[in-house]
Amino acid sequence: MLTLKYITENTTDVITRLAKKNFDGASIIAHVVELDNLRKTTQVQVDTASAELNNLSKEIGLFLKQGKQDEAAQAKEKTVELKENIKILGDQQTAVEQKLNELLVQIPNLPHASVPAGKHAEDNLIERTGGSIPNLPTDAVPHWDLAKKYDLIDFELGVKISGAGFPVYKGKGARLQRALINFFLDNAMEAGYLEVQPPYVVNAASGYGTGQLPDKEGQMYHCTVDDLYLIPTAEVPVTNIYRDVILNENELPIKNTAYSACFRREAGSYGKDVRGLNRLHQFDKVEIVQIQHPDKSYETLDQMVNYVQTLVEKLELPWRILRLCGGDMSFTSALTFDFEVFSAAQERWLEVSSVSNFESYQANRLKCRFRTPDKKTQLVHTLNGSAMALPRIVAALLENNQTPEGIRIPKALIPYTGFDLID
RNA sequence: GGAGAGGUGCUCGAGUGGUUGAAGAGGCACGCCUGGAAAGCGUGUGUACCUCAAAAGGGUACCGAGAGUUCGAAUCUCUUCCUCUCCGCCA
């Protein structure tokens, strides 16, 4: 979330910038400022009263030590009213702080100056493109047909075991999955990321830390007996490694990568967009996460985008990079680049990666800070990106590389699959 | 799941209800010493919020978390979470 300090010191600027995200912040920001003032005056009152009580208590201690029972009793009487006062004021302060926090988590991150205005996906800017769209034969079919033809993925079997959106990968389909995971992890490692294996379920504090809670409560699977959430992305556990941590400046940047299965309820999304691998409840993804100095985070964002570009290039897929418009960006992001690959048989672009700078928005919730040379603490910037999500990559690979002989595997992947053709 | 022990600062570790934000040790930082280093000596070493134009200074809160008893709680009581040991179960 945004820091109180920033909001109260840059009120009009905050409202203007939020407008780009199509968020009307005028009234909520005014409310925040008002509550913050109340918070301060209340704290002064509580602190003053508490200080008085502390002093009285010390006096009483001294009186008793000196055997001055009467003076002690007198002082005790004085504390009664003081304590009542502190209780009332303290409750008030807690209530104000709670309300303030409730409001703060409802305010999205401010978009970066370079974010284009816009409301929908159509307003996103195409940053650059690459690769070439293959000319498929007229009898080319979408990946769900190919998956069946070569017995790679069994969607119906997944329905039987779990439900829609939980496919079963088989044979070369399963090996392709495993190959892609290793390919992505090895590349990330070579790019200097430390591989970590995080838990797949997290507690509420972690969900809150990265912003899934309370905003996207309904999108996560919730194990109510133990009050744990299945992770929608490895971003959640990996970023939360740094929750409540004060780093040394020389530890920055921190670069982590992690493979995980991802679980998403995808409540409310139905229709033809969800066919085959396009939208699943469980899928595999390799994530990259960086914790960076605020001065360098945009430089790092560019590096991460360039890195993901090398992946789609190695996989020989036609790709494009979008700079997301204000309306299409996530709640917590300041600047996001999406990667899409062209799915030749479906004849549409599929989102396969999203790389974002969250600036200090997540860090503020996480309380992840670093120590500056003058020994002060400052919030870090957090960034992450998919590198990459498997299902749509698989969809594009299958569709784009279909030939009469079978499905061709891109050269870079063959050492990982151990085969060069699916037939 | 059953029984027991315990959770204190960067780490280890003391702590009797009353100047304890917290002894002591280690670590770290700075300074002195040195040609340089080690050793030695000295000094310093939490976070958040508030106050102050700012700095200095001052105040409040925090000894797993929450509530309570008390004039006063790291210290007493209750709840809860977590860790460890033993037993049980088990990949």
Side-chain angles (χ1 to χ4, degrees):
Chain A
M1 58 193 172
L2 300 175
T3 62
L4 251 184
K5 195 171 153 67
Y6 191 85
I7 293 176
T8 52
E9 286 174 3
N10 307 276
T11 314
T12 51
D13 179 53
V14 167
I15 294 170
T16 320
R17 290 174 68 189
L18 284 175
K20 207 190 236 178
K21 273 200 171 178
N22 305 311
F23 183 88
D24 181 8
S27 71
I28 193 170
I29 297 295
H31 199 179
V32 165
V33 172
E34 182 194 331
L35 281 174
D36 188 45
N37 287 328
L38 183 58
R39 176 185 69 90
K40 286 180 187 172
T41 55
T42 314
Q43 181 170 349
V44 172
Q45 291 174 309
V46 173
D47 285 2
T48 313
S50 301
E52 219 175 305
L53 181 64
N54 286 344
N55 285 330
L56 271 175
S57 297
K58 278 178 196 165
E59 274 179 36
I60 292 168
L62 281 177
F63 284 143
L64 290 177
K65 215 172 253 178
Q66 296 162 357
K68 298 179 179 170
Q69 300 294 338
D70 294 348
E71 283 89 336
Q74 229 169 10
K76 275 190 196 181
E77 271 175 44
K78 277 198 254 176
T79 64
V80 177
E81 195 187 346
L82 209 47
K83 279 174 72 179
E84 276 172 21
N85 220 353
I86 291 172
K87 173 100 176 82
I88 294 166
L89 288 167
D91 288 350
Q92 194 181 323
Q93 190 183 5
T94 314
V96 170
E97 279 169 2
Q98 256 173 23
K99 182 68 193 161
L100 206 43
N101 202 51
E102 265 171 46
L103 293 179
L104 285 176
V105 297
Q106 290 174 36
I107 302 170
N109 198 2
L110 302 178
H112 186 258
S114 70
V115 169
K119 298 204 165 168
H120 317 289
E122 301 83 67
D123 300 320
N124 295 334
L125 279 186
I126 297 175
E127 198 71 16
R128 52 183 190 266
T129 60
S132 53
I133 294 171
N135 288 315
L136 294 185
T138 47
D139 60 347
V141 293
H143 68 270
W144 48 85
D145 289 335
L146 293 166
K148 193 162 227 166
K149 179 177 174 186
Y150 296 105
D151 199 18
L152 302 173
I153 307 168
D154 195 327
F155 293 97
E156 288 74 23
L157 196 51
V159 171
K160 170 188 167 186
I161 301 167
S162 306
F166 294 93
V168 176
Y169 302 88
K170 291 155 68 177
K172 283 186 173 173
R175 286 168 68 189
L176 179 59
Q177 292 283 115
R178 191 151 52 88
L180 281 166
I181 292 165
N182 283 331
F183 171 77
F184 290 140
L185 282 174
D186 283 357
N187 273 277
M189 207 169 60
E190 278 159 33
Y193 290 87
L194 177 75
E195 183 179 343
V196 293
Q197 280 195 11
Y200 286 8
V201 292
V202 295
N203 55 30
S206 293
Y208 180 83
T210 32
Q212 277 72 26
L213 296 175
D215 187 43
K216 289 183 185 148
E217 168 113 49
Q219 293 299 333
M220 288 192 288
Y221 288 98
H222 187 194
C223 312
T224 51
V225 180
D226 297 299
D227 196 21
L228 294 169
Y229 295 86
L230 268 63
I231 56 171
T233 158
E235 164 199 344
V236 179
V238 173
T239 311
N240 271 283
I241 293 172
Y242 306 97
R243 172 154 50 86
D244 291 321
V245 165
I246 300 175
L247 298 158
N248 290 320
E249 194 172 355
N250 61 18
E251 291 177 81
L252 302 174
I254 286 171
K255 300 172 77 174
N256 287 169
T257 184
Y259 155 75
S260 86
C262 302
F263 304 90
R264 298 187 181 179
R265 295 189 60 233
E266 300 292 359
S269 49
Y270 305 98
K272 65 175 188 301
D273 280 4
V274 306
R275 189 103 192 254
L277 293 170
N278 290 347
R279 193 176 292 277
L280 301 173
H281 288 307
Q282 179 184 321
F283 63 95
D284 298 286
K285 181 161 63 65
V286 172
E287 185 79 0
I288 50 175
V289 171
Q290 290 211 36
I291 313 269
Q292 179 59 291
H293 191 287
D295 293 348
K296 297 180 189 159
S297 66
Y298 279 96
E299 201 180 303
T300 296
L301 180 64
D302 284 341
Q303 284 169 13
M304 290 170 76
V305 169
N306 290 337
Y307 167 71
V308 174
Q309 187 183 319
T310 65
L311 297 177
V312 283
E313 281 171 346
K314 284 183 189 175
L315 292 175
E316 302 168 35
L317 291 168
W319 56 269
R320 67 180 188 186
I321 300 172
L322 305 175
R323 183 187 292 259
L324 294 196
C325 73
D328 202 29
M329 286 172 71
S330 78
F331 192 78
T332 51
S333 170
L335 181 58
T336 298
F337 293 100
D338 269 9
F339 275 77
E340 295 184 335
V341 297
F342 194 73
S343 163
Q346 294 182 76
E347 296 185 333
R348 54 189 284 225
W349 290 93
L350 299 177
E351 182 194 332
V352 290
S353 174
S354 191
V355 187
S356 303
N357 187 356
F358 302 95
E359 297 192 3
S360 60
Y361 193 89
Q362 282 185 331
N364 190 32
R365 283 205 196 182
L366 291 162
K367 295 283 168 282
C368 179
R369 292 150 292 171
F370 70 99
R371 210 173 288 283
T372 59
D374 58 339
K375 309 254 180 180
K376 297 219 166 110
T377 61
Q378 192 182 336
L379 292 170
V380 298
H381 280 191
T382 61
L383 305 97
N384 68 50
S386 2
M388 315 185 66
L390 267 69
R392 296 174 192 159
I393 289 284
V394 170
L397 283 176
L398 297 181
E399 292 181 13
N400 293 15
N401 297 324
Q402 56 184 308
T403 69
E405 294 74 38
I407 296 161
R408 193 180 56 79
I409 300 295
K411 208 183 296 166
L413 212 51
I414 294 171
Y416 290 90
T417 54
F419 52 84
D420 58 4
L421 194 72
I422 296 173
D423 51 8

